[in-house]
Every structure is written in structure tokens, then in C-alpha cells.
Amino acid sequence: MTTADWISAFPGLNKLDPEITKSLIEASKVVHLPAGTRIFGPGQAPQAYLLVTAGRVRIQQTSDSGREIVLYRVSPGESCALTTACLMGFEDYQAEGIAETDVEAVTIPRATFDDLITRSPEFRKFVFTAFGVRITNLCRVIEDIAFSRIDVRLAQRLLELGGDRGRIEFTHQQMASELGTAREVISRQLNEFQRRGWIATSRGIIDIKQPQALRQLAAAP
Amino acid sequence: MTTADWISAFPGLNKLDPEITKSLIEASKVVHLPAGTRIFGPGQAPQAYLLVTAGRVRIQQTSDSGREIVLYRVSPGESCALTTACLMGFEDYQAEGIAETDVEAVTIPRATFDDLITRSPEFRKFVFTAFGVRITNLCRVIEDIAFSRIDVRLAQRLLELGGDRGRIEFTHQQMASELGTAREVISRQLNEFQRRGWIATSRGIIDIKQPQALRQLAAAP
DNA sequence: TAGAAGTATGTGACCAAGTCACATTACTAA
DNA sequence: TTAGTAATGTGACTTGGTCACATACTTCTA
């Protein structure tokens, strides 16, 4: 089976030489990871280059004191810079990757990855661009944590996570981990949002009622 | 002139094939940048791969509100992941790189960089490891900002910047930019450190008097 | 189906850190 | 010497994080 369907999900991989594409498809293997799988983490290095085709992987970091913060997510059409870096020989990092939903991904063995890097400028660009996006993204996170108000950040994240249905199945503690803050802080902010009618909450659920109000807050200077 | 002295400053580049080393040296050019030079930034993409051989480059980010935070520094023996990413085609980032001291660096043209990536596994590993280090580093910054107390972070940074002489020629505002906080916060913390006899300060200068006291605070949980 | 245990959320008091406004103190260049 | 500028000091206030504990909802079990 060398169904190449998945490759169309990666804009950066569309312009590869047919030969390269062939190598890529032949060496790749589609894997399915159930929600909750720990894909990599301290003491658990990934064995292959990973391209997510369906589902979502959450990359997060836990501090010594046990508090967590979500660094970024890997969505379909993306790869994880951390696993790539690890694959290329740098293994000492603290973050961990967890399948947030059932995940379908394509794995490419290290040797093939190395071979493709050598042979294809387009593949190289794809990989380096992925690095660039992640680094830029982490810089953005730093800026947000350092300089943005918690209500603004919460509104942004609610909109990001809400999707079309506007329903987020997260506990307050999970939302706190999203933003690297404390549960009580989230509880208070959510209560305030609810008081204003922007959201409705019940145990483990947040429903967005007035996305435009959240958007306005999220866009605040 | 193809003095290859600089190459010994890069542990990752020591094991290259003689041929690769030759290419590297022939294509490289040593450049000198006076302190204060803006090496890259929004709207100012770097034109070549940059390896720092002497001096120090500061990578920082400025928020919309004008506040700054130092993301990391590039010291001799290191390269800048952001410029690399940029070089490989990803250009949209907000951070800027500034020569903090007079800087001596080796530049490698894009074409040569690309060629070396293709031909040398060791060079690839060097580049990818540099990415990994930076990403790990940024994750550490995120953790610090999100979870560490400002006095602990200040103590750490004072020790990092103090060097052997234990003198730091920074204004309070500059120290605030280091940690992404406000000048008043730094002033108060420094006053407290001074009150305890750990440091001495005068206009634009911080002298470390009791590094071990700072170390103890810096190691706090 | 009641009770118990576990998880999620609410709340007030308090502390840490960031903001604002303005005063004071050093340096620098006429 | 003296403006003028840059650096630092300070108090009042707001925001956000911490702590301790109360309350409410779910699920499991007897």
C-alpha cells in the first residue's frame, strides 16, 4: 500500500520531484495513535520523523513545581520541530508531546529523512520552514506571557479552541495549563465572561455564546 | 586568505571531511560588526549563514506596547537559529538581532550553506543541533517567565551577565528588558539585593559583591 | 439508591508583580 | 554654571498568583 493521499495535506511537499515523492511514499508508514498517547517526552525520544495527517498533538512543558503550559499544537499538515531536532541528534529537551485526539500520522524513518534532506531542496525547505514557524511561534508565546493580560489571552485561546461549534470540553484546570496560569485565575475570568453573557459554563464544558465579544477583547492592545 | 582558525571554535565542525572543510573555508568570509549593529530584524533578512567567532549577539523581541525581552544570546561557537530559518526560506518573524559588543563572525553564502547541508551529515547535524538548542532554550525562557519569581530570575541573570569581574554595565531599564518586566520592578529588587549587601549599584552599573548569595537564591525551587 | 469517594468549581484573604504618576538625582554638553 | 537629558526612587493602585478551605457535581459501590 502506497496510497499517497496524505501528501496532498502538506502544501510544502507538493512540488517534490516524482522520484523524491516515490521515495517518501515507499518509506513512509501511516500510524494511528489513540488519544492520550504520549508520543515523546523526557527520556522518550521519537524514532522517526512525524507528519500529522489527522488529529492534533499537544506539545507541553511541565515545571518542577508541577505546573504546566501548552507550548503549541501540531495539526494536520504540520510536523513537530522538536521531534525533528531530536531526530537529528539533539536529545536533551523537557517538553512532551501528547496525542490530544486520536491521531493519524505518517512516519518516515531517520535514514529516509536524512536521504531526502540530501536529495531534495524542496524537502529541505519544508523542514527548515517548519523550524522557523515553531521558533516564531514560541517567540509569540513568550511575548504573550510576558506582556499580555490574562483576560485577553484567555479570550484568544477560547476562540482558538472553540472551533465551529463554539464548545470547549476543558476543565478550568486544563484551561489554566493552556495559558500557564493558576486554576483560580481561570475560574474568576470565566465567571466574569459568563456574567457578561459571553460564554456559558458547566462542569468541564465552556460554550461560547458571543464570539464577537471575545474577538473584540482578544484584539485588545 | 583562508585561515581556518575560526573553525576550531566550533566543536560541531571539527569532524568534517577535509573536502567539506575546504569548501567551508573557501566560501566563508570573516566579517566585523561594531557594537550596536542591527544584524537582522523585521524587514531586514540576513543574507548569509552566520557563525559568531567573537563577541556577542543579542536576540530580542519588542512588543506592540514597546516593551522588550531578550530571547537569547549568540556567543562564540554558536550560530543563530533564527537567521538560519530565515535563510532557508521562512522570513516572517519579529525578533531582531543586535551586536551587543563588537562582533567577529564568519559568513557562509546561502548557496554554500545549501551545498554543505547536502554533502555533509556532520554539517547537517551541526545545524539541526543548533535549532534544537535554541528551541529548548526558548522553552526554558517560557517556563521561567511563566513560573519563576522575579527575584530568582534576576539573580540568575545577574550571575550570567556578571562574568568574572562581577560588574554589569546595564541600566535598570536594560535589566528590565532582559527579563521582560518593568523598570520599577527591577529597581526595587536591586535595592533589596543592595540592602542585603549582595550587590552595589551606581548609575548604569551593578557590581556583584556576594555571588554565592545570588547563586543560592537563583537555585531556589 | 443512598452514601462515599473523587473530581471540579467557588471564594476570601493575602502576597507578588506590574502600572501610573511624579519626584529626585546623576550626568552631559553648551 | 546651567539647562537638558537620562537614570533612579517612591507611593498608590491594579492585576494576577497563592493558599486554605468550602461547596457542588459524578461516579462507584454497597
Side-chain angles (χ1 to χ4, degrees):
Chain A
M1 278 291 283
T2 57
T3 330
D5 288 350
W6 64 264
I7 225 170
S8 61
F10 296 83
L13 297 180
N14 279 339
K15 291 157 263 162
L16 299 180
D17 283 351
E19 239 184 281
I20 302 291
T21 306
K22 189 156 165 279
S23 302
L24 192 55
I25 290 168
E26 278 173 2
S28 65
K29 207 172 66 182
V30 175
V31 296
H32 293 264
L33 307 162
T37 306
R38 178 173 155 145
I39 298 172
F40 68 92
Q44 184 184 354
Q47 295 308 309
Y49 187 60
L50 209 69
L51 297 167
V52 174
T53 48
R56 209 167 50 173
V57 178
R58 185 178 69 240
I59 313 300
Q60 65 185 25
Q61 183 148 17
T62 306
S63 77
D64 299 331
S65 57
R67 272 175 59 185
E68 292 181 346
I69 184 167
V70 173
L71 299 173
Y72 59 89
R73 289 185 161 79
V74 183
S75 299
E78 300 177 339
S79 73
C80 177
L82 271 174
T83 61
T84 310
C86 177
L87 201 64
M88 296 306 291
F90 181 79
E91 307 206 353
D92 178 34
Y93 55 79
Q94 292 300 313
E96 60 180 350
I98 291 174
E100 197 163 36
T101 63
D102 287 349
V103 167
E104 185 187 81
V106 175
T107 64
I108 299 168
R110 183 189 294 242
T112 307
F113 178 82
D114 213 43
D115 179 50
L116 292 174
I117 283 280
T118 306
R119 286 162 57 208
S120 169
E122 290 80 16
F123 188 75
R124 277 203 296 281
K125 179 156 182 171
F126 176 78
V127 171
F128 278 93
T129 300
F131 267 118
V133 171
R134 286 311 165 208
I135 290 182
T136 304
N137 209 298
L138 290 175
C139 292
R140 176 75 195 287
V141 172
I142 290 174
E143 193 179 317
D144 277 354
I145 299 180
F147 305 132
S148 294
R149 294 173 50 97
I150 198 72
D151 52 355
V152 173
R153 293 175 59 213
L154 178 57
Q156 288 171 346
R157 196 55 67 100
L158 288 175
L159 290 167
E160 279 174 37
L161 293 171
D164 296 333
R165 306 218 331 280
R167 162 162 290 198
I168 303 159
E169 299 190 10
F170 274 47
T171 65
H172 296 185
Q173 181 57 62
Q174 285 175 307
M175 281 306 302
S177 294
E178 286 290 320
L179 302 178
T181 184
R183 197 259 312 160
E184 298 91 321
V185 174
I186 296 296
S187 292
R188 283 175 204 138
Q189 294 293 339
L190 287 178
N191 281 342
E192 178 61 21
F193 287 180
Q194 187 163 30
R195 198 186 61 74
R196 296 184 194 168
W198 298 356
I199 61 172
T201 68
S202 55
R203 188 185 174 97
I205 290 172
I206 305 165
D207 282 306
I208 299 178
K209 294 293 181 187
Q210 298 181 31
Q212 77 288 359
L214 289 174
R215 265 193 288 275
Q216 197 181 340
L217 177 59
Chain B
M1 280 291 283
T2 56
T3 330
D5 287 351
W6 63 263
I7 225 169
S8 62
F10 296 83
L13 298 180
N14 279 338
K15 292 157 263 161
L16 299 180
D17 283 349
E19 240 186 281
I20 302 291
T21 307
K22 188 156 165 280
S23 302
L24 191 55
I25 290 168
E26 278 173 3
S28 66
K29 209 172 63 180
V30 175
V31 295
H32 293 264
L33 306 163
T37 306
R38 177 172 156 148
I39 298 172
F40 69 91
Q44 185 184 354
Q47 295 308 310
Y49 188 59
L50 209 69
L51 298 167
V52 174
T53 49
R56 208 168 50 174
V57 179
R58 185 178 71 240
I59 313 299
Q60 64 185 25
Q61 182 148 14
T62 306
S63 77
D64 299 331
S65 57
R67 273 176 60 185
E68 291 181 348
I69 184 165
V70 173
L71 299 173
Y72 59 90
R73 289 185 162 80
V74 183
S75 298
E78 300 177 339
S79 73
C80 177
L82 270 174
T83 61
T84 309
C86 175
L87 201 65
M88 295 308 291
F90 182 77
E91 308 207 352
D92 179 32
Y93 55 80
Q94 291 301 310
E96 60 180 349
I98 291 174
E100 196 163 37
T101 63
D102 289 347
V103 166
E104 185 187 83
V106 176
T107 64
I108 299 168
R110 182 190 295 244
T112 307
F113 178 83
D114 213 44
D115 179 51
L116 291 173
I117 285 280
T118 306
R119 286 164 56 208
S120 169
E122 292 80 16
F123 188 75
R124 277 203 294 282
K125 179 159 183 171
F126 176 78
V127 171
F128 278 93
T129 301
F131 267 119
V133 172
R134 286 311 165 205
I135 290 181
T136 304
N137 209 298
L138 290 175
C139 292
R140 175 75 195 286
V141 172
I142 290 174
E143 193 178 319
D144 277 353
I145 300 181
F147 306 132
S148 293
R149 292 173 50 97
I150 198 72
D151 53 355
V152 173
R153 294 175 58 214
L154 178 57
Q156 288 171 347
R157 195 56 66 99
L158 288 174
L159 290 167
E160 278 173 36
L161 293 170
D164 296 334
R165 307 216 334 279
R167 162 160 292 197
I168 302 159
E169 299 190 10
F170 273 47
T171 65
H172 296 185
Q173 181 57 64
Q174 285 175 306
M175 282 305 303
S177 295
E178 286 289 321
L179 303 179
T181 183
R183 196 258 314 158
E184 297 92 319
V185 174
I186 296 296
S187 293
R188 281 174 204 141
Q189 294 294 338
L190 288 178
N191 281 342
E192 179 60 22
F193 287 179
Q194 187 163 32
R195 198 186 61 75
R196 296 184 194 169
W198 297 357
I199 62 171
T201 68
S202 54
R203 188 187 172 97
I205 291 171
I206 305 165
D207 282 306
I208 299 177
K209 295 292 181 189
Q210 297 182 30
Q212 76 288 358
L214 289 175
R215 263 191 290 274
Q216 198 182 341
L217 177 59

